[in-house]
């Protein structure tokens, strides 16, 4: 399959349970010709977790999900998935209380990474923060040398990652790194 034969993918990252901004983005997507939607992690942790999850599950387009630290925090290995502090812990408790046990289990066990053949880009790696983990911080100020560590073992020439909520499109050593930004939190 050539890179022109791939899917047109809408990458929706860091929704953070914000239903109204998600609805606005989905209205915009209705005018686009997308073949699939990729949910890039931290989708439901926020003020409307159950409603956000329900809307995302109702999408007609094929939908792929990856796990962010917010989803990992809902599972057994989530102890270090969110910042320490009373506010973060209260937010996590609220999110968990709005979701069923089955939902929490499903979300916390989503894959960490996914490679999709994307039209015009070829094999594209989608991850939440970096290919290494769901907590790495990558910003426009990240030194090029840091990418050597972040991209160790990665064969794809395009990486899409979120987590920082900062849009970014940068090429380092022939690998294009794209952060689509955040739907729910600037």
């Amino acid at each position: 399959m050539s890179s022109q034969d791939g899917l047109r993918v809408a990458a929706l990252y860091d929704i953070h349970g914000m239903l109204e901004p998600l609805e606005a983005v989905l209205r915009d997507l209705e005018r686009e010709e997308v073949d699939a939607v990729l949910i890039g992690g931290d989708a439901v942790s926020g003020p409307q977790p159950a409603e956000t999850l329900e809307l995302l599950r109702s999408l007609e387009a094929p939908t792929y999900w990856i796990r962010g630290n917010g989803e990992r925090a809902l599972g057994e290995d989530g102890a270090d998935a969110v910042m320490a502090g009373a506010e973060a812990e209260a937010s996590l408790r609220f999110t968990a209380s709005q979701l069923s046990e089955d939902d929490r289990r499903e979300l916390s066990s989503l894959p960490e990474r996914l490679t999709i053949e994307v039209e015009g880009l070829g094999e594209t790696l989608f991850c939440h923060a970096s290919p290494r983990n769901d907590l790495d911080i990558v910003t426009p100020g990240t030194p090029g040398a840091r990418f050597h560590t972040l991209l160790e073992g990665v064969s794809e020439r395009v990486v899409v990652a979120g987590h920082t909520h900062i849009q970014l499109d940068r090429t380092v050593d022939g690998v294009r790194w794209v952060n689509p930004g955040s739907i729910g939190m600037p």
Side-chain angles (χ1 to χ4, degrees), residues 24-171:
V25 167
L26 293 176
R27 281 191 300 274
D28 285 347
L29 280 182
E30 289 174 3
R31 295 187 292 274
E32 301 296 326
E33 294 180 27
V34 298
D35 301 310
V37 174
L38 182 288
I39 309 301
D42 287 4
V44 300
S45 54
Q48 298 160 305
E51 298 87 345
T52 300
L53 183 58
E54 181 180 346
L55 179 56
L56 291 171
R57 285 179 170 162
S58 75
L59 296 177
E60 291 183 22
T63 305
Y64 302 94
W65 294 68
I66 58 172
R67 180 179 84 175
N69 58 301
E71 287 82 18
R72 183 166 60 91
L74 297 169
E76 294 178 11
D77 68 337
D80 70 339
V82 295
M83 296 184 313
E87 188 175 320
E89 291 172 15
S91 177
L92 177 58
R93 279 194 307 275
F94 172 77
T95 298
S97 75
Q98 300 301 300
L99 302 170
S100 72
E101 184 176 332
D102 287 343
D103 289 339
R104 293 190 306 271
R105 186 177 17 262
E106 178 185 342
L107 290 167
S108 68
S109 64
L110 290 169
E112 296 175 34
R113 305 185 296 189
L114 186 63
T115 299
I116 299 174
E117 183 82 18
V118 175
E119 180 182 314
L121 298 176
E123 294 285 311
T124 300
L125 176 62
F126 293 88
C127 53
H128 181 65
S130 85
R132 295 172 359 123
N133 63 55
D134 59 17
L135 294 173
D136 279 333
I137 302 294
V138 177
T139 69
T142 299
R146 172 89 169 115
F147 283 89
H148 295 291
T149 301
L150 296 170
L151 295 169
E152 197 170 295
V154 173
S155 61
E156 296 86 354
R157 306 316 299 161
V158 180
V159 174
V160 179
H163 186 57
T164 62
H165 306 178
I166 301 170
Q167 291 182 340
L168 177 65
D169 190 344
R170 180 173 173 189
T171 301

